[in-house]
Amino acid sequence: MNTYRHFHVDGQLRPSTGTNSITLVSPVTEQPVGELLSCSKADVDAAIASAHRCLPRWASSSIEQRERALRALQAAIVKRTDRIVESLVVEVGVPVWVGRSMQVPMPLANLDAIIEGLHQVTWEEQIRTSRVVREPVGVVAAITPWNYPLHQIVAKVAGAIGAGCPTVLKASEIAPGAAQLFMEAVAEADLPPGLVNMVWGGADVGEWLVADPRIDIVSFTGSGTVARRILASAAGSLKRVALELGGKSAALILDDADLDAAVPAIVRRCMNNSGQACVAQSRLLTPRHLQQEVADRITAALQEWTLGDPADDNTRLGPVASLRQFDGINHHIGAALDAGATLLAGGVGRAYGFERGYFIAPTVFTDVDRTMALGCEEVFGPVLAVMPYDGDEDGIDLANATPYGLSGAVWSANGTRAMNAARRMRTGQVILNGAPPNPASPFGGVGQSGFGRENGRFSIEAFLEFKSIQQ
Ligand code: NAD
């Protein structure tokens, strides 16, 4: 049993004085695997005060000092790779393979890009008669989810360090292990006391942070429902807010695409991390006459996505993270069946062969249309909607037919055609023909996927303010 009873303030551990205790449940055994003691309002106050004390010192730090701090932090995270992966397996049901190949490498690559970004930001420039300088915005509240917990913490906290801002982090109460190990790395990196503070808790603790007038900006990654509450609460003190929210990303297969390459890649980008990724390509858009060929290839591609114990090195697909996830995903699958979508694989309920645990078989529906909930609502689970379209115009229109706009993909043998389609997709990122991720490029959404950008230099710029000095 892991217990989380201390929060981080002024570079030190202090016992949480809250009264609310949260039990961590294994997604594999459904038994308790840990306990977290929420912070009290006084604890949150102490963390914000600590960040404030650090602000003048770190705001005036040099780029070299910030770079040294980020490099030390990165080295300390690397040392903890095994323990971070282990905590993800136990608390979130993330397979070891996903932990090792994505959950840890991604934030490390992002740290490289943020360090590079320190030298890409235009810190000062002359515009006509003005000296325009970019200054730290102040104290950051970073509120993060459980699905890629280390990545989301690093994207915000490392960006804030680069910008010259202290942070109060409220990490997900569902994946505290990754956050705890990140704070251990902060301690080892010998950062100034108060530069990175962390409080434990759920909605109440998050709300105290958002409402506090001493917080200058809230950087939030999570659900649209919580984002609306945060915006409303932040309005009270008119603070800046950045929101990284959900998605319903479309992979658009054009009629000249290489299906052998496209289909397994889309299945991977949908099923990875049990579909619990904001950028999951959960809609596969295919020319109608190719739907059957695509379906056959999906059936073949699913062979490698067998469910299993996340602690096993060979497992590609683990359980979903929580009972709430399990129930929500099953609700979506049931609704798709009721709406008349054709079930190609998987189905409702616990996957065949499992007597306990939040195991959901990789599930695929064909003949999904834009009027069905599955065609436009985020599932956040291992569920792929195959949606036929008629002609390129209809395909692009279908890609844009959700309120979201976080990611997307286009597959075509013709680079110009793929690029033209990408330009017309209303989304923050488009991946052409399975191109690899680029952590130095801006990441974020439009519409219900939120606003603001992070990663690389954009993680730093998210926490800067312009000042114009007229001469
Ligand atoms: P969530 O919105 O339930 O919780 C996110 C964080 O907000 C947690 O730390 C939680 O404790 C906190 N919180 C909850 N209520 C709050 C309140 N009233 N005030 C302040 N903080 C509060 O999301 P989740 O279930 O942890 O994550 C899943 C969601 O996150 C999905 O919708 C997913 O698409 C989205 N997501 C987006 C991205 C992205 O980068 N765009 C990345 C990952 C996840």
Side-chain angles (χ1 to χ4, degrees):
M1 289 275 282
N2 287 328
T3 50
Y4 304 93
R5 296 175 163 270
H6 292 80
F7 69 112
H8 298 251
V9 57
D10 275 325
Q12 288 173 349
L13 285 171
R14 271 199 213 162
S16 303
T17 62
T19 49
N20 182 20
S21 139
I22 298 170
T23 302
L24 306 172
V25 174
S26 159
V28 175
T29 64
E30 300 179 42
Q31 295 302 307
V33 283
E35 193 192 36
L36 176 150
L37 185 60
S38 230
C39 284
S40 65
K41 191 154 190 306
D43 299 340
V44 173
D45 273 352
I48 298 173
S50 153
H52 256 276
R53 279 191 294 278
C54 182
L55 179 60
R57 173 177 173 192
W58 197 249
S60 60
S61 60
S62 66
I63 300 304
E64 291 68 31
Q65 281 172 306
R66 296 178 198 178
E67 177 165 349
R68 269 200 302 279
L70 290 171
R71 286 198 189 283
L73 180 59
Q74 188 184 38
I77 292 174
V78 169
K79 278 200 218 163
R80 290 165 174 78
T81 299
D82 289 349
R83 290 169 63 208
I84 293 168
V85 170
E86 196 188 315
S87 83
L88 294 171
V89 169
V90 171
E91 293 175 357
V92 196
V94 169
V96 172
W97 171 75
V98 177
R100 290 200 170 284
S101 62
M102 265 162 273
Q103 294 266 4
V104 180
M106 209 158 67
L108 294 176
N110 198 9
L111 268 160
D112 280 335
I114 292 171
I115 291 166
E116 207 179 297
L118 279 171
H119 304 283
Q120 295 167 341
V121 172
T122 304
W123 294 99
E124 276 199 40
E125 62 186 312
Q126 189 72 25
I127 301 180
R128 294 193 179 175
T129 57
S130 301
R131 196 72 196 152
V132 177
V133 295
R134 303 194 81 177
E135 295 187 336
V137 62
V139 171
V140 175
I143 302 181
T144 56
W146 48 264
N147 62 324
Y148 280 85
L150 183 66
H151 165 66
Q152 287 129 358
I153 290 170
V154 165
K156 297 183 191 314
V157 178
I161 292 173
C165 298
T167 306
V168 181
L169 167 66
K170 196 213 78 64
S172 169
E173 65 277 29
I174 294 170
Q180 173 71 32
L181 287 157
F182 173 80
M183 291 308 295
E184 262 190 47
V186 164
E188 184 175 305
D190 204 19
L191 305 183
L195 181 56
V196 185
N197 308 275
M198 185 178 70
V199 289
W200 294 123
D204 50 352
V205 172
E207 283 178 13
W208 292 331
L209 274 176
V210 174
D212 195 296
R214 293 168 297 169
I215 296 290
D216 296 289
I217 186 169
V218 177
S219 179
F220 171 77
T221 297
S223 62
T225 311
V226 171
R228 285 180 188 86
R229 297 187 65 159
I230 287 179
L231 266 184
S233 167
S237 47
L238 285 177
K239 57 173 60 88
R240 275 173 58 185
V241 174
L243 303 174
E244 301 283 353
L245 311 178
K248 186 76 187 178
S249 298
L252 176 62
I253 294 184
L254 297 180
D255 59 12
D256 61 350
D258 174 356
L259 295 186
D260 288 334
V263 174
I266 297 167
V267 169
R268 185 166 62 245
R269 295 211 191 227
C270 177
M271 298 299 169
N272 235 335
N273 212 40
S274 295
Q276 302 167 125
C278 51
V279 292
Q281 292 175 9
S282 53
R283 291 185 298 148
L284 185 160
L285 315 190
T286 172
R288 193 174 301 275
H289 70 279
L290 294 176
Q291 184 173 218
Q292 188 56 51
E293 263 192 75
V294 164
D296 293 344
R297 283 174 165 80
I298 291 173
T299 306
L302 285 178
Q303 298 310 309
E304 69 173 296
W305 292 95
T306 47
L307 274 171
D309 181 351
D312 182 335
D313 280 346
N314 297 315
T315 296
R316 289 288 171 273
L317 201 63
V320 298
S322 63
L323 181 59
R324 184 171 152 220
Q325 275 291 98
F326 185 77
D327 288 344
I329 296 163
N330 275 311
H331 171 79
H332 277 283
I333 297 173
L337 289 170
D338 291 345
T342 308
L343 185 66
L344 180 72
V348 141
R350 182 177 287 119
Y352 180 75
F354 291 87
E355 281 170 9
R356 57 171 191 263
Y358 308 131
F359 289 93
I360 296 181
T363 296
V364 181
F365 286 95
T366 58
D367 297 310
V368 177
D369 71 45
R370 65 181 80 192
T371 65
M372 298 177 185
L374 187 66
C376 56
E377 289 177 14
E378 183 183 49
V379 175
F380 219 57
V383 182
L384 177 63
V386 178
M387 306 180 75
Y389 68 84
D390 303 293
D392 287 11
E393 282 304 310
D394 186 37
I396 291 165
D397 191 50
L398 185 56
N400 291 335
T402 80
Y404 295 107
L406 188 59
S407 188
V410 182
W411 289 84
S412 168
N414 179 328
T416 311
R417 211 175 150 210
M419 182 59 87
N420 286 341
R423 286 184 193 280
R424 295 181 58 197
M425 283 167 74
R426 196 173 156 271
T427 185
Q429 125 173 266
V430 185
I431 299 160
L432 302 189
N433 292 320
N438 175 5
S441 69
F443 177 81
V446 300
Q448 304 282 306
S449 294
F451 44 79
R453 292 292 180 271
E454 53 190 27
N455 288 358
R457 103 169 132 88
F458 304 91
S459 275
I460 301 172
E461 290 182 333
F463 302 120
L464 295 177
E465 205 55 274
F466 286 105
K467 180 190 278 177
S468 299
I469 305 169
Q470 271 66 258
Q471 314 173 73

Coordinates of all heavy atoms in Angstrom, one line a residue, residues 344-399:
L344 N -18.1 -4.7 -34.8 CA -17.1 -5.5 -35.5 C -16.2 -6.3 -34.5 O -15.8 -7.4 -34.8 CB -16.1 -4.6 -36.3 CG -15.0 -5.2 -37.1 CD1 -15.6 -6.0 -38.3 CD2 -14.0 -4.2 -37.6
A345 N -16.0 -5.7 -33.3 CA -15.1 -6.4 -32.3 C -15.4 -5.9 -31.0 O -15.9 -4.8 -30.8 CB -13.6 -6.2 -32.7
G346 N -15.2 -6.7 -29.9 CA -15.4 -6.3 -28.5 C -16.8 -6.3 -28.2 O -17.6 -7.1 -28.6
G347 N -17.2 -5.4 -27.3 CA -18.6 -5.3 -26.9 C -18.7 -4.8 -25.4 O -17.7 -4.4 -24.8
V348 N -20.0 -4.8 -25.0 CA -20.3 -4.3 -23.7 C -19.8 -5.2 -22.5 O -19.8 -6.4 -22.7 CB -21.8 -4.0 -23.6 CG1 -22.4 -4.4 -22.2 CG2 -22.2 -2.6 -24.0
G349 N -19.4 -4.6 -21.4 CA -19.1 -5.4 -20.2 C -17.7 -5.7 -20.0 O -16.8 -5.2 -20.8
R350 N -17.4 -6.5 -19.0 CA -16.0 -6.9 -18.8 C -15.6 -7.9 -19.9 O -16.3 -8.8 -20.3 CB -15.9 -7.6 -17.4 CG -14.5 -8.0 -17.0 CD -14.4 -8.6 -15.7 NE -14.5 -7.6 -14.6 CZ -15.4 -7.5 -13.7 NH1 -16.4 -8.5 -13.7 NH2 -15.5 -6.6 -12.8
A351 N -14.3 -7.7 -20.3 CA -13.9 -8.6 -21.4 C -13.9 -10.0 -21.1 O -13.7 -10.4 -19.9 CB -12.4 -8.1 -21.8
Y352 N -14.2 -10.9 -22.1 CA -14.3 -12.3 -21.9 C -12.9 -12.8 -21.3 O -11.9 -12.5 -21.7 CB -14.5 -12.9 -23.3 CG -14.6 -14.4 -23.2 CD1 -15.7 -15.1 -22.7 CD2 -13.5 -15.2 -23.6 CE1 -15.8 -16.4 -22.7 CE2 -13.6 -16.6 -23.6 CZ -14.8 -17.2 -23.1 OH -14.8 -18.6 -23.0
G353 N -13.1 -13.7 -20.3 CA -11.9 -14.3 -19.7 C -11.4 -13.6 -18.5 O -10.5 -14.1 -17.8
F354 N -12.0 -12.5 -18.1 CA -11.5 -11.8 -16.9 C -12.7 -11.8 -15.9 O -13.8 -11.5 -16.2 CB -11.2 -10.3 -17.2 CG -10.0 -10.2 -18.1 CD1 -10.0 -10.3 -19.4 CD2 -8.7 -10.0 -17.5 CE1 -8.9 -10.2 -20.2 CE2 -7.6 -9.9 -18.2 CZ -7.7 -10.0 -19.6
E355 N -12.3 -12.2 -14.7 CA -13.3 -12.3 -13.6 C -13.4 -11.1 -12.8 O -14.4 -10.8 -12.1 CB -13.1 -13.5 -12.8 CG -13.5 -14.8 -13.5 CD -13.1 -16.0 -12.8 OE1 -12.6 -16.0 -11.7 OE2 -13.3 -17.1 -13.4
R356 N -12.4 -10.3 -12.8 CA -12.4 -9.0 -12.1 C -11.5 -8.0 -12.8 O -10.7 -8.4 -13.7 CB -12.1 -9.2 -10.6 CG -10.7 -9.8 -10.4 CD -10.4 -9.7 -9.0 NE -9.0 -10.1 -8.8 CZ -8.6 -11.3 -8.5 NH1 -9.5 -12.2 -8.2 NH2 -7.3 -11.6 -8.4
G357 N -11.6 -6.8 -12.4 CA -10.7 -5.8 -13.0 C -11.5 -5.0 -14.1 O -12.5 -5.5 -14.6
Y358 N -11.0 -3.8 -14.4 CA -11.7 -2.9 -15.3 C -11.2 -3.2 -16.8 O -10.7 -2.3 -17.5 CB -11.5 -1.5 -14.9 CG -11.8 -1.2 -13.5 CD1 -10.9 -0.5 -12.6 CD2 -13.0 -1.7 -12.9 CE1 -11.3 -0.3 -11.3 CE2 -13.3 -1.5 -11.6 CZ -12.4 -0.8 -10.8 OH -12.7 -0.6 -9.5
F359 N -11.3 -4.5 -17.2 CA -10.8 -4.9 -18.5 C -12.0 -4.7 -19.5 O -13.0 -5.3 -19.4 CB -10.3 -6.3 -18.5 CG -9.1 -6.5 -17.7 CD1 -9.1 -6.8 -16.4 CD2 -7.8 -6.2 -18.3 CE1 -7.9 -6.9 -15.7 CE2 -6.6 -6.4 -17.6 CZ -6.6 -6.7 -16.3
I360 N -11.7 -3.9 -20.6 CA -12.7 -3.8 -21.7 C -12.0 -4.2 -22.9 O -10.9 -3.7 -23.2 CB -13.1 -2.3 -21.8 CG1 -13.9 -1.9 -20.5 CG2 -14.0 -2.1 -23.0 CD1 -14.4 -0.5 -20.5
A361 N -12.6 -5.1 -23.7 CA -12.0 -5.6 -24.9 C -11.9 -4.4 -25.9 O -12.8 -3.6 -25.9 CB -12.8 -6.7 -25.5
P362 N -10.8 -4.4 -26.8 CA -10.8 -3.4 -27.8 C -12.1 -3.5 -28.7 O -12.4 -4.6 -29.1 CB -9.5 -3.7 -28.6 CG -9.1 -5.0 -28.2 CD -9.7 -5.3 -26.8
T363 N -12.8 -2.4 -28.8 CA -14.1 -2.4 -29.4 C -14.2 -1.6 -30.6 O -13.7 -0.4 -30.6 CB -15.2 -2.0 -28.3 OG1 -15.1 -3.0 -27.3 CG2 -16.6 -1.9 -28.9
V364 N -14.7 -2.1 -31.7 CA -14.8 -1.4 -33.0 C -16.2 -1.5 -33.5 O -16.8 -2.5 -33.6 CB -13.8 -2.0 -34.0 CG1 -13.8 -1.2 -35.3 CG2 -12.4 -2.0 -33.4
F365 N -16.7 -0.3 -33.9 CA -18.0 -0.3 -34.6 C -17.8 0.3 -36.0 O -17.0 1.2 -36.2 CB -19.0 0.7 -33.9 CG -19.5 0.2 -32.6 CD1 -18.9 0.5 -31.4 CD2 -20.7 -0.6 -32.6 CE1 -19.4 0.1 -30.2 CE2 -21.2 -1.1 -31.4 CZ -20.6 -0.7 -30.2
T366 N -18.5 -0.3 -37.0 CA -18.5 0.3 -38.3 C -19.9 0.9 -38.6 O -20.8 0.8 -37.7 CB -18.2 -0.8 -39.4 OG1 -19.2 -1.8 -39.3 CG2 -16.9 -1.4 -39.3
D367 N -20.1 1.6 -39.7 CA -21.3 2.2 -40.1 C -21.8 3.2 -39.0 O -23.0 3.4 -38.7 CB -22.5 1.2 -40.3 CG -22.2 0.3 -41.4 OD1 -21.9 0.8 -42.5 OD2 -22.2 -1.0 -41.2
V368 N -20.8 3.9 -38.4 CA -21.1 4.9 -37.4 C -21.4 6.2 -38.2 O -20.7 6.5 -39.1 CB -20.0 5.1 -36.4 CG1 -20.3 6.3 -35.4 CG2 -19.7 3.8 -35.7
D369 N -22.5 6.9 -37.9 CA -22.7 8.2 -38.6 C -22.6 9.4 -37.6 O -22.6 9.2 -36.4 CB -23.9 8.2 -39.4 CG -25.2 8.2 -38.6 OD1 -25.3 9.0 -37.7 OD2 -26.1 7.4 -38.9
R370 N -22.6 10.6 -38.1 CA -22.4 11.7 -37.3 C -23.5 12.1 -36.3 O -23.3 12.8 -35.4 CB -22.0 12.9 -38.2 CG -23.2 13.4 -39.1 CD -22.8 14.6 -39.9 NE -22.0 14.2 -41.1 CZ -21.3 15.0 -41.9 NH1 -21.3 16.3 -41.6 NH2 -20.7 14.6 -43.0
T371 N -24.7 11.4 -36.5 CA -25.8 11.7 -35.6 C -25.7 10.9 -34.4 O -26.4 11.1 -33.4 CB -27.1 11.4 -36.3 OG1 -27.2 10.0 -36.6 CG2 -27.3 12.2 -37.6
M372 N -24.9 9.8 -34.4 CA -24.8 8.9 -33.2 C -23.8 9.6 -32.2 O -22.8 10.2 -32.6 CB -24.2 7.6 -33.6 CG -25.1 6.8 -34.6 SD -24.2 5.2 -35.1 CE -25.4 4.6 -36.3
A373 N -24.1 9.3 -30.9 CA -23.2 9.9 -29.9 C -21.8 9.4 -30.2 O -20.8 10.1 -30.0 CB -23.7 9.4 -28.5
L374 N -21.6 8.1 -30.6 CA -20.3 7.6 -30.8 C -19.5 8.3 -31.9 O -18.3 8.3 -31.9 CB -20.3 6.1 -31.1 CG -19.0 5.3 -31.2 CD1 -18.3 5.3 -29.8 CD2 -19.1 3.9 -31.7
G375 N -20.3 8.9 -32.8 CA -19.6 9.6 -33.9 C -19.1 11.0 -33.5 O -18.4 11.7 -34.3
C376 N -19.6 11.5 -32.3 CA -19.2 12.9 -32.0 C -18.8 13.2 -30.5 O -18.3 14.2 -30.2 CB -20.2 13.9 -32.4 SG -21.8 13.6 -31.7
E377 N -19.0 12.2 -29.6 CA -18.7 12.4 -28.2 C -17.4 11.6 -27.8 O -17.2 10.5 -28.3 CB -19.8 12.0 -27.3 CG -21.0 12.9 -27.4 CD -22.2 12.4 -26.6 OE1 -22.0 11.5 -25.7 OE2 -23.3 12.9 -26.8
E378 N -16.6 12.2 -26.9 CA -15.4 11.6 -26.5 C -15.7 10.4 -25.6 O -16.6 10.5 -24.7 CB -14.5 12.5 -25.7 CG -13.2 11.9 -25.2 CD -12.4 12.8 -24.4 OE1 -12.9 13.4 -23.4 OE2 -11.2 13.0 -24.7
V379 N -15.1 9.2 -25.9 CA -15.3 8.0 -25.0 C -14.2 7.9 -24.0 O -14.5 7.5 -22.9 CB -15.4 6.7 -25.9 CG1 -15.5 5.5 -25.1 CG2 -16.6 6.8 -26.9
F380 N -13.0 8.2 -24.4 CA -11.8 8.0 -23.5 C -11.6 6.6 -23.1 O -11.4 6.3 -21.9 CB -12.0 9.0 -22.3 CG -10.6 9.6 -21.9 CD1 -9.9 10.4 -22.8 CD2 -10.1 9.4 -20.7 CE1 -8.7 10.9 -22.5 CE2 -8.9 10.0 -20.3 CZ -8.2 10.7 -21.2
G381 N -11.7 5.7 -24.1 CA -11.6 4.3 -23.9 C -11.2 3.6 -25.2 O -11.1 4.2 -26.2
P382 N -11.0 2.2 -25.1 CA -10.5 1.5 -26.3 C -11.7 1.2 -27.3 O -12.0 0.1 -27.6 CB -10.0 0.2 -25.7 CG -10.8 0.0 -24.5 CD -11.2 1.4 -24.0
V383 N -12.2 2.3 -27.9 CA -13.4 2.2 -28.8 C -13.2 3.0 -30.0 O -13.0 4.2 -30.0 CB -14.7 2.6 -28.0 CG1 -15.9 2.4 -28.9 CG2 -14.9 1.9 -26.7
L384 N -13.2 2.3 -31.2 CA -13.0 2.9 -32.5 C -14.3 3.0 -33.2 O -15.0 2.0 -33.4 CB -11.9 2.2 -33.2 CG -11.6 2.7 -34.7 CD1 -11.0 4.1 -34.6 CD2 -10.6 1.7 -35.4
A385 N -14.6 4.2 -33.8 CA -15.8 4.4 -34.6 C -15.3 4.5 -36.1 O -14.6 5.4 -36.4 CB -16.5 5.6 -34.2
V386 N -15.8 3.5 -36.9 CA -15.4 3.6 -38.3 C -16.6 4.3 -39.0 O -17.8 3.9 -38.9 CB -15.2 2.2 -38.9 CG1 -14.9 2.3 -40.4 CG2 -14.1 1.5 -38.2
M387 N -16.3 5.4 -39.7 CA -17.4 6.3 -40.3 C -17.1 6.4 -41.8 O -16.1 7.0 -42.2 CB -17.3 7.6 -39.6 CG -17.4 7.5 -38.1 SD -17.4 9.1 -37.2 CE -19.0 9.7 -37.6
P388 N -18.1 5.9 -42.6 CA -17.9 6.0 -44.1 C -18.3 7.4 -44.6 O -19.2 8.0 -44.0 CB -18.9 4.9 -44.6 CG -19.9 4.7 -43.5 CD -19.2 5.1 -42.2
Y389 N -17.6 7.8 -45.6 CA -18.0 9.1 -46.3 C -18.0 8.9 -47.8 O -17.4 8.0 -48.3 CB -17.1 10.2 -45.8 CG -15.6 10.1 -46.3 CD1 -15.2 10.6 -47.5 CD2 -14.6 9.5 -45.5 CE1 -13.9 10.4 -48.0 CE2 -13.3 9.4 -45.9 CZ -13.0 9.8 -47.2 OH -11.7 9.7 -47.6
D390 N -18.5 9.9 -48.5 CA -18.6 9.9 -49.9 C -18.0 11.1 -50.5 O -18.5 12.2 -50.5 CB -20.1 9.9 -50.3 CG -20.9 8.7 -49.7 OD1 -20.6 7.6 -50.1 OD2 -21.7 9.0 -48.8
G391 N -16.7 11.0 -51.0 CA -16.0 12.0 -51.6 C -15.2 12.9 -50.6 O -15.6 13.0 -49.4
D392 N -14.1 13.5 -51.1 CA -13.2 14.3 -50.2 C -13.9 15.4 -49.4 O -13.7 15.5 -48.2 CB -12.1 14.9 -51.0 CG -11.1 13.9 -51.5 OD1 -11.4 12.7 -51.4 OD2 -10.0 14.3 -51.9
E393 N -14.8 16.1 -50.1 CA -15.5 17.2 -49.4 C -16.3 16.7 -48.2 O -16.2 17.2 -47.1 CB -16.5 17.9 -50.4 CG -15.9 18.9 -51.3 CD -15.0 19.9 -50.6 OE1 -15.5 20.6 -49.7 OE2 -13.8 20.1 -51.0
D394 N -17.0 15.6 -48.4 CA -17.8 15.0 -47.3 C -16.9 14.5 -46.2 O -17.2 14.6 -45.0 CB -18.6 13.8 -47.9 CG -19.6 13.2 -46.9 OD1 -20.1 14.0 -46.1 OD2 -19.8 12.0 -46.9
G395 N -15.7 13.9 -46.6 CA -14.7 13.4 -45.6 C -14.2 14.5 -44.7 O -14.2 14.4 -43.5
I396 N -13.9 15.7 -45.3 CA -13.4 16.8 -44.5 C -14.5 17.4 -43.7 O -14.3 17.7 -42.5 CB -12.8 17.9 -45.5 CG1 -11.5 17.3 -46.1 CG2 -12.5 19.2 -44.7 CD1 -11.0 18.0 -47.2
D397 N -15.7 17.4 -44.2 CA -16.8 17.9 -43.5 C -17.1 17.0 -42.3 O -17.3 17.5 -41.1 CB -18.1 17.9 -44.4 CG -19.2 18.7 -43.8 OD1 -19.0 19.8 -43.4 OD2 -20.3 18.1 -43.8
L398 N -17.0 15.7 -42.5 CA -17.2 14.8 -41.4 C -16.1 14.9 -40.3 O -16.4 14.9 -39.1 CB -17.2 13.3 -42.0 CG -17.5 12.2 -41.1 CD1 -18.9 12.3 -40.4 CD2 -17.5 10.9 -41.9
A399 N -14.9 15.1 -40.8 CA -13.8 15.3 -39.8 C -14.1 16.5 -38.9 O -13.7 16.5 -37.7 CB -12.4 15.5 -40.6

